[in-house]
Amino acid sequence: MSRIAYVNGAYVPHRQACVHIEDRGYQFADGIYEVWAVQNGKLIDREGHFTRMDRSLSELQITKPMSHASLMPVLHEIVRKNRVKDGLVYLQITRGVSPRDHPFPKNVRPSIVITAKSLNAQKAEQFAGKGVAVATMRDERWARCDIKSVSLLPNILAKQAAKEKGAYEAWMVDQTGMVTEGSSSNAWIITKDGVLVTRNLSTEILGGITRERVLMLAAERQLTVKERAFSVAEAKEAREAFMTSSINLVTPIIRIDEKAVADGKPGPMACALRKDYLQSAAT
Ligand SMILES: Cc1ncc(COP(=O)(O)O)c(C=O)c1O
């Protein structure tokens, strides 16, 4: 079955989907994106992603190309046309096409691209069930990591470096030795005394939509939660560690650099929170 993309108002075959070479997303990474998890054909946390999308656009002074009401049917249609049961929807909005010049162009129309992709839910469960390794490295990103910008060069360099070290994700570490977040996920630990810790929201991390949902699930379980920074040393001594994102949901971490987390097996609370997530998303 051929994939279909949505580009500036038209549904086109994925192979032929393109934007102009002077799109500012291509020239300057002048744009934002969102990723929705799709489960059983349903977009998860639709509103939360809309809110973050609006915020990213407003921080970059990019005009919203469509209202939520107009966007909603397009998101559903792209899921339907691509027959996605489990997977994700990717949306990107850039400032638009204009002759290359740094200042914002006047009267430019933002470009919007939406795609959808299937993921094998069974394989994803098997993958998460084994847990993953992370490699720590210096956070070399800019000072506005709260904006979901398509400018991801430091993130991909970190992810590649992690991959070369045999790890699945990079945990980025600030100048004071504290973990900010993963290259494409939020970072969590459960301390020795059972406190669930994830970094507090600030311009240093992306406010994950999955992070929000997991905080809600943790509250339902009456876990003690602290939103604060934690060091690499503290993480290596933690009872459990895990990562969250729309793509990986809740995925246990079993190794940080060369150090196994606890007994080196996926932590029971991380596994329980993943189950909670799947269950809550299904309702
Ligand atoms: C840097 C970064 N942090 C956190 C996340 C997790 O965000 P969400 O849970 O909304 O997918 C992502 C997801 O792409 C990310 O790129």
Side-chain angles (χ1 to χ4, degrees), residues 131-137 165-173 179 187-190 230-243 252-262 264:
V132 298
V134 296
T136 62
M137 56 199 69
K165 288 181 175 168
Y168 176 69
E169 174 62 305
W171 266 13
M172 296 181 286
V173 181
V179 175
W188 304 70
I189 58 169
I190 300 177
F230 59 85
S231 67
V232 174
E234 186 180 13
K236 286 182 176 172
E237 294 308 314
R239 190 189 280 182
E240 293 190 32
F242 62 91
M243 55 187 264
I253 290 168
I254 53 170
R255 183 162 57 81
I256 301 171
D257 297 328
E258 300 314 319
K259 172 86 173 57
V261 177

Short mmCIF file of all heavy atoms in Angstrom, two decimals, residues 131-137 165-173 179 187-190 230-243 252-262 264:
data_model
loop_
_atom_site.label_atom_id
_atom_site.label_comp_id
_atom_site.label_asym_id
_atom_site.label_seq_id
_atom_site.Cartn_x
_atom_site.Cartn_y
_atom_site.Cartn_z
N GLY A 131 14.02 -3.56 27.86
CA GLY A 131 14.71 -2.38 28.40
C GLY A 131 15.82 -1.95 27.46
O GLY A 131 16.24 -2.71 26.58
N VAL A 132 16.27 -0.71 27.64
CA VAL A 132 17.31 -0.17 26.75
C VAL A 132 18.44 0.44 27.55
O VAL A 132 18.31 0.70 28.75
CB VAL A 132 16.72 0.92 25.81
CG1 VAL A 132 15.63 0.36 24.91
CG2 VAL A 132 16.19 2.12 26.61
N ALA A 133 19.56 0.67 26.85
CA ALA A 133 20.71 1.33 27.48
C ALA A 133 20.73 2.79 27.06
O ALA A 133 20.30 3.14 25.96
CB ALA A 133 21.99 0.65 27.02
N VAL A 134 21.23 3.65 27.95
CA VAL A 134 21.46 5.05 27.56
C VAL A 134 22.93 5.40 27.78
O VAL A 134 23.60 4.81 28.64
CB VAL A 134 20.57 6.06 28.34
CG1 VAL A 134 19.11 5.85 28.03
CG2 VAL A 134 20.83 6.01 29.84
N ALA A 135 23.40 6.34 26.97
CA ALA A 135 24.78 6.84 27.15
C ALA A 135 24.67 8.32 27.50
O ALA A 135 23.88 9.06 26.91
CB ALA A 135 25.56 6.65 25.85
N THR A 136 25.45 8.75 28.49
CA THR A 136 25.38 10.16 28.90
C THR A 136 26.40 10.97 28.10
O THR A 136 27.47 10.47 27.75
CB THR A 136 25.65 10.32 30.41
OG1 THR A 136 26.96 9.86 30.70
CG2 THR A 136 24.64 9.54 31.22
N MET A 137 26.03 12.20 27.82
CA MET A 137 26.95 13.10 27.10
C MET A 137 26.55 14.55 27.35
O MET A 137 25.45 14.79 27.84
CB MET A 137 26.98 12.78 25.61
CG MET A 137 25.67 12.80 24.92
SD MET A 137 25.78 11.89 23.39
CE MET A 137 25.96 10.20 23.96
N LYS A 165 27.96 3.90 20.78
CA LYS A 165 28.39 3.29 22.05
C LYS A 165 27.52 2.10 22.41
O LYS A 165 27.57 1.60 23.54
CB LYS A 165 28.29 4.33 23.17
CG LYS A 165 29.36 5.40 23.07
CD LYS A 165 29.21 6.38 24.21
CE LYS A 165 30.34 7.38 24.18
NZ LYS A 165 30.13 8.51 25.07
N GLY A 166 26.65 1.71 21.50
CA GLY A 166 25.80 0.54 21.76
C GLY A 166 24.59 0.87 22.61
O GLY A 166 23.94 -0.03 23.15
N ALA A 167 24.27 2.15 22.74
CA ALA A 167 23.10 2.55 23.54
C ALA A 167 21.97 2.97 22.61
O ALA A 167 22.19 3.34 21.46
CB ALA A 167 23.47 3.68 24.48
N TYR A 168 20.75 2.94 23.15
CA TYR A 168 19.58 3.30 22.34
C TYR A 168 19.29 4.79 22.39
O TYR A 168 18.84 5.38 21.43
CB TYR A 168 18.37 2.51 22.87
CG TYR A 168 17.08 2.86 22.18
CD1 TYR A 168 16.87 2.50 20.85
CD2 TYR A 168 16.07 3.56 22.85
CE1 TYR A 168 15.68 2.83 20.20
CE2 TYR A 168 14.88 3.89 22.21
CZ TYR A 168 14.69 3.52 20.89
OH TYR A 168 13.53 3.85 20.25
N GLU A 169 19.56 5.40 23.55
CA GLU A 169 19.24 6.81 23.72
C GLU A 169 20.42 7.53 24.37
O GLU A 169 21.23 6.90 25.07
CB GLU A 169 17.96 6.96 24.57
CG GLU A 169 17.53 8.36 24.98
CD GLU A 169 17.17 9.30 23.82
OE1 GLU A 169 18.03 9.48 22.92
OE2 GLU A 169 16.07 9.88 23.84
N ALA A 170 20.50 8.84 24.10
CA ALA A 170 21.51 9.68 24.77
C ALA A 170 20.82 10.42 25.90
O ALA A 170 19.72 10.94 25.71
CB ALA A 170 22.07 10.67 23.77
N TRP A 171 21.44 10.44 27.07
CA TRP A 171 20.96 11.31 28.14
C TRP A 171 21.90 12.49 28.18
O TRP A 171 23.12 12.32 28.34
CB TRP A 171 20.94 10.57 29.48
CG TRP A 171 19.60 9.97 29.77
CD1 TRP A 171 18.56 9.82 28.89
CD2 TRP A 171 19.15 9.44 31.02
NE1 TRP A 171 17.48 9.22 29.53
CE2 TRP A 171 17.82 8.99 30.81
CE3 TRP A 171 19.72 9.30 32.28
CZ2 TRP A 171 17.07 8.40 31.84
CZ3 TRP A 171 18.98 8.71 33.31
CH2 TRP A 171 17.66 8.27 33.08
N MET A 172 21.35 13.67 28.00
CA MET A 172 22.17 14.86 27.91
C MET A 172 22.35 15.49 29.29
O MET A 172 21.42 15.52 30.10
CB MET A 172 21.56 15.81 26.89
CG MET A 172 21.57 15.14 25.51
SD MET A 172 20.91 16.15 24.22
CE MET A 172 19.18 16.06 24.58
N VAL A 173 23.57 15.96 29.52
CA VAL A 173 23.96 16.38 30.87
C VAL A 173 24.40 17.85 30.81
O VAL A 173 25.21 18.23 29.95
CB VAL A 173 25.12 15.49 31.37
CG1 VAL A 173 25.54 15.89 32.78
CG2 VAL A 173 24.72 14.02 31.31
N VAL A 179 21.30 15.67 34.60
CA VAL A 179 20.68 15.18 33.36
C VAL A 179 19.56 16.16 32.99
O VAL A 179 18.73 16.49 33.84
CB VAL A 179 20.09 13.76 33.57
CG1 VAL A 179 19.33 13.29 32.34
CG2 VAL A 179 21.21 12.77 33.93
N ALA A 187 13.62 12.11 30.70
CA ALA A 187 14.40 11.17 31.53
C ALA A 187 13.81 11.09 32.94
O ALA A 187 13.44 12.11 33.52
CB ALA A 187 15.84 11.64 31.59
N TRP A 188 13.75 9.87 33.46
CA TRP A 188 13.15 9.62 34.77
C TRP A 188 14.00 8.63 35.56
O TRP A 188 14.60 7.72 34.96
CB TRP A 188 11.78 8.96 34.62
CG TRP A 188 10.77 9.68 33.81
CD1 TRP A 188 10.78 9.84 32.44
CD2 TRP A 188 9.56 10.29 34.27
NE1 TRP A 188 9.66 10.53 32.05
CE2 TRP A 188 8.89 10.81 33.15
CE3 TRP A 188 8.98 10.43 35.54
CZ2 TRP A 188 7.68 11.48 33.25
CZ3 TRP A 188 7.76 11.10 35.64
CH2 TRP A 188 7.13 11.63 34.50
N ILE A 189 13.99 8.79 36.88
CA ILE A 189 14.54 7.74 37.75
C ILE A 189 13.58 7.51 38.92
O ILE A 189 12.74 8.35 39.21
CB ILE A 189 15.95 8.11 38.32
CG1 ILE A 189 15.89 9.42 39.11
CG2 ILE A 189 17.00 8.15 37.22
CD1 ILE A 189 17.16 9.70 39.93
N ILE A 190 13.74 6.35 39.54
CA ILE A 190 13.11 6.12 40.84
C ILE A 190 14.28 5.94 41.81
O ILE A 190 15.12 5.05 41.62
CB ILE A 190 12.17 4.90 40.83
CG1 ILE A 190 11.05 5.14 39.80
CG2 ILE A 190 11.60 4.66 42.22
CD1 ILE A 190 10.08 4.00 39.63
N PHE A 230 18.34 15.70 38.46
CA PHE A 230 19.11 14.63 39.13
C PHE A 230 20.43 14.46 38.38
O PHE A 230 20.53 14.73 37.19
CB PHE A 230 18.30 13.32 39.21
CG PHE A 230 17.87 12.76 37.88
CD1 PHE A 230 18.70 11.95 37.12
CD2 PHE A 230 16.59 13.03 37.38
CE1 PHE A 230 18.28 11.44 35.89
CE2 PHE A 230 16.16 12.53 36.15
CZ PHE A 230 17.02 11.71 35.41
N SER A 231 21.43 14.02 39.13
CA SER A 231 22.77 13.90 38.53
C SER A 231 22.94 12.52 37.89
O SER A 231 22.17 11.59 38.17
CB SER A 231 23.84 14.10 39.60
OG SER A 231 23.78 13.01 40.50
N VAL A 232 23.99 12.41 37.08
CA VAL A 232 24.29 11.11 36.47
C VAL A 232 24.62 10.11 37.59
O VAL A 232 24.17 8.96 37.56
CB VAL A 232 25.49 11.24 35.49
CG1 VAL A 232 25.92 9.88 34.97
CG2 VAL A 232 25.13 12.18 34.34
N ALA A 233 25.36 10.58 38.60
CA ALA A 233 25.74 9.70 39.71
C ALA A 233 24.49 9.17 40.42
O ALA A 233 24.40 7.97 40.73
CB ALA A 233 26.63 10.47 40.69
N GLU A 234 23.53 10.04 40.67
CA GLU A 234 22.30 9.62 41.35
C GLU A 234 21.54 8.61 40.48
O GLU A 234 21.01 7.60 40.98
CB GLU A 234 21.40 10.83 41.66
CG GLU A 234 20.19 10.45 42.50
CD GLU A 234 19.26 11.63 42.82
OE1 GLU A 234 19.41 12.70 42.21
OE2 GLU A 234 18.38 11.43 43.69
N ALA A 235 21.52 8.86 39.17
CA ALA A 235 20.81 7.96 38.25
C ALA A 235 21.45 6.57 38.25
O ALA A 235 20.75 5.55 38.21
CB ALA A 235 20.80 8.55 36.84
N LYS A 236 22.77 6.55 38.34
CA LYS A 236 23.47 5.25 38.31
C LYS A 236 23.21 4.43 39.57
O LYS A 236 23.36 3.22 39.57
CB LYS A 236 24.96 5.46 38.08
CG LYS A 236 25.26 5.86 36.63
CD LYS A 236 26.74 6.03 36.36
CE LYS A 236 26.95 6.34 34.87
NZ LYS A 236 28.33 6.71 34.56
N GLU A 237 22.82 5.12 40.64
CA GLU A 237 22.51 4.41 41.89
C GLU A 237 21.00 4.19 42.06
O GLU A 237 20.56 3.71 43.11
CB GLU A 237 23.05 5.22 43.09
CG GLU A 237 24.56 5.32 43.15
CD GLU A 237 25.24 3.95 43.06
OE1 GLU A 237 24.78 3.02 43.75
OE2 GLU A 237 26.20 3.81 42.28
N ALA A 238 20.23 4.59 41.04
CA ALA A 238 18.77 4.57 41.19
C ALA A 238 18.24 3.14 41.25
O ALA A 238 18.88 2.19 40.79
CB ALA A 238 18.12 5.32 40.05
N ARG A 239 17.03 3.03 41.77
CA ARG A 239 16.32 1.75 41.82
C ARG A 239 15.81 1.38 40.43
O ARG A 239 15.78 0.22 40.04
CB ARG A 239 15.16 1.92 42.79
CG ARG A 239 14.45 0.65 43.16
CD ARG A 239 13.19 0.97 43.96
NE ARG A 239 13.47 1.27 45.36
CZ ARG A 239 12.53 1.54 46.26
NH1 ARG A 239 11.25 1.58 45.90
NH2 ARG A 239 12.85 1.79 47.50
N GLU A 240 15.36 2.42 39.70
CA GLU A 240 14.87 2.22 38.33
C GLU A 240 15.16 3.47 37.52
O GLU A 240 15.35 4.56 38.08
CB GLU A 240 13.34 2.03 38.32
CG GLU A 240 12.85 0.76 38.97
CD GLU A 240 11.36 0.53 38.72
OE1 GLU A 240 10.88 0.93 37.64
OE2 GLU A 240 10.71 -0.07 39.60
N ALA A 241 15.16 3.30 36.22
CA ALA A 241 15.24 4.45 35.32
C ALA A 241 14.37 4.14 34.10
O ALA A 241 14.18 2.98 33.75
CB ALA A 241 16.69 4.70 34.89
N PHE A 242 13.82 5.19 33.51
CA PHE A 242 13.07 4.97 32.27
C PHE A 242 12.99 6.27 31.47
O PHE A 242 13.40 7.34 31.94
CB PHE A 242 11.68 4.37 32.54
CG PHE A 242 10.73 5.21 33.37
CD1 PHE A 242 9.86 6.11 32.78
CD2 PHE A 242 10.69 5.07 34.75
CE1 PHE A 242 8.98 6.86 33.53
CE2 PHE A 242 9.82 5.83 35.53
CZ PHE A 242 8.96 6.72 34.92
N MET A 243 12.52 6.14 30.24
CA MET A 243 12.37 7.30 29.38
C MET A 243 10.93 7.36 28.89
O MET A 243 10.25 6.32 28.86
CB MET A 243 13.33 7.20 28.18
CG MET A 243 13.19 5.92 27.38
SD MET A 243 14.48 5.76 26.12
CE MET A 243 13.57 6.41 24.71
N PRO A 252 11.66 1.18 29.88
CA PRO A 252 12.63 1.01 30.97
C PRO A 252 14.07 1.15 30.48
O PRO A 252 14.38 0.75 29.36
CB PRO A 252 12.37 -0.42 31.46
CG PRO A 252 11.05 -0.82 30.89
CD PRO A 252 10.86 -0.03 29.64
N ILE A 253 14.90 1.69 31.34
CA ILE A 253 16.34 1.79 31.05
C ILE A 253 17.06 0.82 31.98
O ILE A 253 16.84 0.84 33.20
CB ILE A 253 16.81 3.25 31.26
CG1 ILE A 253 16.22 4.12 30.14
CG2 ILE A 253 18.34 3.34 31.27
CD1 ILE A 253 16.36 5.60 30.35
N ILE A 254 17.90 -0.01 31.40
CA ILE A 254 18.56 -1.03 32.21
C ILE A 254 20.06 -0.78 32.38
O ILE A 254 20.71 -1.43 33.17
CB ILE A 254 18.33 -2.45 31.61
CG1 ILE A 254 18.75 -2.49 30.14
CG2 ILE A 254 16.87 -2.88 31.79
CD1 ILE A 254 18.78 -3.89 29.55
N ARG A 255 20.59 0.16 31.61
CA ARG A 255 22.03 0.48 31.74
C ARG A 255 22.25 1.95 31.45
O ARG A 255 21.66 2.50 30.52
CB ARG A 255 22.83 -0.40 30.77
CG ARG A 255 24.33 -0.23 30.86
CD ARG A 255 25.09 -1.40 30.22
NE ARG A 255 24.75 -1.63 28.81
CZ ARG A 255 25.26 -0.92 27.80
NH1 ARG A 255 26.11 0.05 28.02
NH2 ARG A 255 24.91 -1.22 26.56
N ILE A 256 23.08 2.57 32.27
CA ILE A 256 23.48 3.97 32.03
C ILE A 256 24.99 3.95 31.88
O ILE A 256 25.72 3.57 32.81
CB ILE A 256 23.06 4.89 33.20
CG1 ILE A 256 21.53 4.85 33.39
CG2 ILE A 256 23.54 6.32 32.95
CD1 ILE A 256 21.03 5.55 34.64
N ASP A 257 25.49 4.28 30.72
CA ASP A 257 26.91 4.10 30.36
C ASP A 257 27.28 2.64 30.64
O ASP A 257 26.60 1.76 30.16
CB ASP A 257 27.78 5.11 31.12
CG ASP A 257 27.44 6.56 30.73
OD1 ASP A 257 27.05 6.79 29.57
OD2 ASP A 257 27.55 7.45 31.59
N GLU A 258 28.29 2.41 31.46
CA GLU A 258 28.71 1.02 31.70
C GLU A 258 28.02 0.41 32.92
O GLU A 258 28.26 -0.75 33.26
CB GLU A 258 30.23 0.93 31.89
CG GLU A 258 31.04 1.42 30.69
CD GLU A 258 30.53 0.85 29.36
OE1 GLU A 258 30.18 -0.34 29.30
OE2 GLU A 258 30.45 1.63 28.40
N LYS A 259 27.18 1.19 33.58
CA LYS A 259 26.62 0.75 34.87
C LYS A 259 25.19 0.21 34.69
O LYS A 259 24.32 0.91 34.17
CB LYS A 259 26.62 1.97 35.80
CG LYS A 259 25.91 1.80 37.11
CD LYS A 259 26.80 1.18 38.17
CE LYS A 259 26.16 1.15 39.54
NZ LYS A 259 24.88 0.49 39.66
N ALA A 260 24.98 -1.01 35.16
CA ALA A 260 23.61 -1.56 35.14
C ALA A 260 22.76 -0.79 36.13
O ALA A 260 23.23 -0.42 37.22
CB ALA A 260 23.65 -3.03 35.52
N VAL A 261 21.50 -0.55 35.77
CA VAL A 261 20.56 0.08 36.72
C VAL A 261 20.01 -1.05 37.60
O VAL A 261 19.41 -1.99 37.09
CB VAL A 261 19.42 0.81 35.98
CG1 VAL A 261 18.43 1.39 36.98
CG2 VAL A 261 19.98 1.90 35.06
N ALA A 262 20.25 -0.94 38.89
CA ALA A 262 19.86 -1.98 39.87
C ALA A 262 20.36 -3.34 39.39
O ALA A 262 21.55 -3.50 39.16
CB ALA A 262 18.36 -1.94 40.11
N GLY A 264 19.88 -4.65 36.53
CA GLY A 264 20.05 -4.69 35.07
C GLY A 264 18.82 -5.20 34.33
O GLY A 264 18.88 -5.48 33.13
#
